[in-house]
Amino acid sequence: MRDARPSSPRGLTDTQWLLRGALGIALYASLVIAPVAFMLLAAPPEARTFLRELSVSLAFAALAVLGLQIVLTARLKRLKAPYGVDAVYHFHKVVSFVAVALVVAHVVLLVVDDPATLELFNVLTAPVRARFAVLATVTLFAVVALSWYRRRIGLGYEAWRWSHGALALVMLGSAVAHVELVGYYVSGPLKRELWIAYVVLWVAAIAWARLVKPGVMLRRPWIVEEVRPERGRTWTLSLAREGAALPFEPGQFVWLHLGASPYAMTEHPFSISSSAQRTDRVELTIKELGDFTSRIRSTPVGTRAYLDGPYGQFSVDRHSADAYVFIAGGVGITPTMSMLRTLRDRGDRRPLTLIYGVETLDEMTFAEELDGLARELELDLVPVVSRPPDGWEGERGWIGEDVLARHIPADSAGVEYFVCGPEPMMVAVSTSLGHLGVHASQVRYELFGLV
Amino acid sequence: MRHRYGNLLALALLVGIVAASVAVAYLRAG
């Protein structure tokens, strides 16, 4: 009777989460299909050729998808809760390719239908409506290409965030201008209202994420109290509240604005590593991986910070069980650390296993504290070291099926698995757990490197 | 993994959009 057991402090059962998730997907799909269906409604304009109608229909769906991209990333906690934020961001990424495919199809079908359409690509002679179409298409390609190749072309995260937002706005604005100037399908009743409603939804989502939420954050500042070095080029940023406390579930993450206004687009997502039993002091443990994370070590004590969150469903509080197995790779230990510290503070006596993959023992973040936690909790700590020292008798190499088989409970009933680390590790662990008879519904994932 | 569900969902969306668009274009031009 797993479903009858509340799996979160909000009292939602697994079935209720599933229903909420299904409802969200149905709503999303309806919003994408609505403009297509509206082409048939309320005194549609005179029909044109099949290819032209198909082309226009695909483009309307593409515009609906692209507008909803704003809503997907607008930090709407309740909307994302059933899926997990990383899954929503992943969908945001893949669905952008769907939109590109639809836009390409739109253009190709128009040209096939009437080759004279090609003349509209000459922006020097084309009418304004076509110029907007070209601008929307070019900016769409630019948004997708910059996101895809960001790391390869060495574009910094903050510069990318700015360009992503600005190009997306130009793209949506040009697309709406194109639709309005063509005017064929927005002249009738209901249809113009539909697109006005969509634009209002986009603007509301932007206003929520960029004005309302930062306004709330501004009233709840945090102060950097300590910047503590950890093993493995990793730093713990300890923040004390100046405003309201931050109640969170262990394993969740926040968007951190450090030394900048919450209105500036400089935030980065990090898992909370401290115990959820203390809400007036929050610790984030950050590995030096990129331009921002490499500056963490030199953050002066007293720097002001703002936290947007908490987000995520990667938490023991969301998934009740008789026993837990945590599988962490590298700095993927941080959400697990928060869960272990919280379970210790709550005096939890359930059996726990931590399988922790690290390069070397020297780089094993939290090594000493984990030894202590192994004594305080019913915790079986299994370090898996890829480059172990001489004489190492523990597990070595990667977290493979053999390692998992030796350490996970023989009977998986009532056990929940939490896996956090780099993507290749998570894919491998996911496959191995499946081979070992662990059902996919018992495994939770958190991917770091969200954006 | 959940990300596979995201990929499947995007694919299903694409198929749904194309099917709906073909149906609408057929009804309109038919």
Side-chain angles (χ1 to χ4, degrees):
Chain A
M1 290 296 289
R2 285 171 51 79
D3 281 349
R5 190 168 48 190
S7 58
S8 81
R10 294 192 191 92
L12 290 186
T13 62
D14 288 356
T15 310
Q16 285 167 322
W17 278 117
L18 207 65
L19 277 175
R20 272 181 61 176
L23 206 70
I25 291 168
L27 180 68
Y28 179 87
S30 312
L31 286 171
V32 169
I33 296 293
V36 177
F38 267 54
M39 286 173 67
L40 292 173
L41 284 179
E46 198 180 324
R48 297 173 293 188
T49 63
F50 173 80
L51 286 182
R52 183 155 288 245
E53 294 291 328
L54 179 61
S55 160
V56 172
S57 171
L58 295 175
F60 277 149
L63 184 52
V65 166
L66 291 169
L68 284 170
Q69 294 286 64
I70 303 175
V71 180
L72 290 186
T73 53
R75 314 279 164 78
L76 296 154
K77 274 190 229 177
R78 289 173 61 85
L79 213 70
K80 291 179 187 177
Y83 319 101
V85 180
D86 61 325
V88 175
Y89 274 84
H90 177 77
F91 181 74
H92 174 87
K93 248 184 249 179
V94 290
V95 85
S96 68
F97 291 103
V98 169
V100 168
L102 294 173
V103 169
V104 170
H106 172 58
V107 177
V108 169
L109 287 172
L110 283 182
V111 173
V112 171
D113 182 58
D114 179 8
T117 312
L118 271 175
E119 285 170 25
L120 295 175
F121 289 93
N122 184 349
V123 288
L124 297 176
T125 57
V128 179
R129 64 172 199 279
R131 290 181 193 178
F132 274 121
V134 171
L135 182 59
T137 310
V138 168
T139 43
L140 171 62
F141 287 149
V143 168
V144 175
L146 281 180
S147 302
W148 194 249
Y149 295 110
R150 174 171 85 81
R151 288 202 173 83
R152 263 167 279 183
I153 60 174
L155 183 64
Y157 173 78
E158 282 158 31
W160 169 76
R161 281 289 303 279
W162 273 102
S163 66
H164 195 71
L167 287 169
L169 281 183
V170 172
M171 183 255 294
L172 286 173
S174 318
V176 168
H178 170 63
V179 170
E180 176 65 23
L181 289 170
V182 172
Y184 200 73
Y185 271 104
V186 289
S187 52
L190 278 183
K191 298 176 197 69
R192 170 168 277 117
E193 286 77 359
L194 177 76
W195 284 108
I196 291 173
Y198 275 42
V199 172
V200 168
L201 177 70
W202 307 342
V203 172
I206 294 170
W208 171 259
R210 295 284 146 224
L211 295 174
V212 178
K213 292 219 84 172
V216 173
M217 274 187 268
L218 203 59
R219 292 200 299 275
R220 296 172 181 173
W222 296 73
I223 289 288
V224 175
E225 267 200 347
E226 189 188 0
V227 184
R228 200 165 59 238
E230 307 281 3
R231 288 180 178 275
R233 289 183 299 116
T234 299
W235 299 81
T236 290
L237 203 60
S238 186
L239 304 166
R241 75 182 172 110
E242 281 208 319
L246 182 82
F248 64 93
E249 293 164 18
Q252 289 191 303
F253 72 92
V254 291
W255 291 84
L256 168 70
H257 297 252
L258 188 61
S261 156
Y263 291 100
M265 290 209 294
T266 56
E267 69 271 36
H268 294 69
F270 294 110
S271 287
I272 300 171
S273 56
S274 52
S275 167
Q277 298 301 100
R278 280 200 69 178
T279 56
D280 58 338
R281 190 188 170 96
V282 166
E283 292 189 346
L284 308 175
T285 301
I286 300 165
K287 192 177 176 75
E288 292 180 11
L289 291 170
D291 44 1
F292 176 79
T293 51
S294 302
R295 295 198 301 268
I296 291 290
R297 60 157 74 201
S298 49
T299 307
V301 168
T303 300
R304 185 151 289 176
Y306 298 95
L307 303 178
D308 175 15
Y311 291 96
Q313 45 76 61
F314 189 76
S315 173
V316 289
D317 284 2
R318 290 280 170 108
H319 308 284
S320 71
D322 303 326
Y324 292 105
V325 175
F326 303 99
I327 301 163
V331 77
I333 190 67
T334 51
T336 297
M337 201 60 193
S338 174
M339 291 193 263
L340 293 175
R341 284 167 165 166
T342 305
L343 292 170
R344 174 199 60 200
D345 292 351
R346 291 176 183 169
D348 200 289
R349 302 310 299 169
R350 284 176 286 183
L352 310 169
T353 306
L354 169 59
I355 301 169
Y356 182 13
V358 290
E359 276 278 305
T360 64
L361 280 180
D362 272 352
E363 290 183 15
M364 184 171 158
T365 312
F366 301 125
E368 291 77 9
E369 194 179 340
L370 284 169
D371 281 336
L373 284 167
R375 289 189 295 274
E376 292 169 291
L377 289 159
E378 296 293 321
L379 172 66
D380 181 15
L381 173 62
V382 184
V384 182
V385 189
S386 49
R387 289 193 284 124
D390 293 339
W392 172 251
E393 291 179 355
E395 294 290 356
R396 54 180 67 217
W398 308 103
I399 305 177
E401 200 168 314
D402 51 337
V403 173
L404 291 169
R406 278 194 286 276
H407 298 286
I408 66 170
D411 180 6
S412 268
V415 183
E416 286 278 340
Y417 292 79
F418 287 87
V419 187
C420 182
E423 195 162 11
M425 173 214 131
M426 298 215 299
V427 171
V429 167
S430 161
T431 310
S432 302
L433 287 176
H435 291 163
L436 294 169
V438 176
H439 196 269
S441 65
Q442 291 172 271
V443 190
R444 317 289 157 191
Y445 301 94
E446 182 93 320
L447 176 69
F448 65 75
L450 188 67
V451 281
Chain B
M1 252 170 77
R2 281 176 311 143
H3 287 187
R4 287 193 203 132
Y5 296 131
N7 298 346
L8 282 175
L9 203 62
L11 191 63
L13 190 75
L14 179 63
V15 172
I17 290 170
V18 172
S21 298
V22 168
V24 164
Y26 180 76
L27 287 172
R28 294 265 303 131

